[in-house]
């Protein structure tokens, strides 16, 4: 059972990545949903709800995810206390190369360090 603290959950990265592949991406949608809400709570910044992120990703055939990666990068910087850094740009570029699972792992790693 993952440990929960201050709005975040400490998840095992390897298990999460394996689950994304084993479930053909369904766990990835759940992971995005949960990460969005947890990172938004930890950063204290306003943002779109996890359900809306999933809906917008489905409606735009994944194009919204590029914007979402950028916004998550900004929130990760806020959580790390590095406001104004360039994680948003890094996540954007990684997402443009189709490596969204890497972004999810990086976001989760940040959350794990904060709550664990």
């Amino acid at each position: 059972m993952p440990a929960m603290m201050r709005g975040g959950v400490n998840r095992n990265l390897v298990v999460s990545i394996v689950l994304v592949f084993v479930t053909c991406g369904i766990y990835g949608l759940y992971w995005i949903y949960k990460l969005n809400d947890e990172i938004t709570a930890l950063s204290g910044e306003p943002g779109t709800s996890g359900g809306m992120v999933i809906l917008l990703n489905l409606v735009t055939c994944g194009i919204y995810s590029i914007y979402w990666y950028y916004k998550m990068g900004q929130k990760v910087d806020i959580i790390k206390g590095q406001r104004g850094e360039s994680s948003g740009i890094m996540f954007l570029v990684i997402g443009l190369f189709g490596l969204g699972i890497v972004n999810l792992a990086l976001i989760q790693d940040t959350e794990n360090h904060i709550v664990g």
Side-chain angles (χ1 to χ4, degrees), residues 45-60:
E45 294 288 310
T48 308
S49 71
M52 186 59 73
V53 169
I54 299 302
L55 179 64
L56 290 170
N57 273 326
L58 293 173
V59 168
T60 64

Side-chain angles (χ1 to χ4, degrees), residues 3 5 7-11 31 34-36 38-39 42 76 79 105-116:
M5 177 188 245
V9 175
N10 191 345
R11 289 184 186 84
W31 197 10
K34 296 304 284 181
L35 272 179
N36 181 77
E38 293 160 4
I39 294 294
L42 287 170
V76 163
I79 290 170
L106 290 171
I107 296 166
Q108 186 65 58
D109 184 58
T110 300
E111 185 175 345
N112 288 350
H113 281 91
I114 297 299
V115 300

Side-chain angles (χ1 to χ4, degrees), residues 70 73-74 76-78 80-89:
Y70 177 75
Q74 290 178 330
V76 163
D77 287 339
I78 290 168
K80 288 180 176 178
Q82 301 171 341
R83 191 179 289 266
E85 292 294 319
S86 58
S87 292
I89 300 296

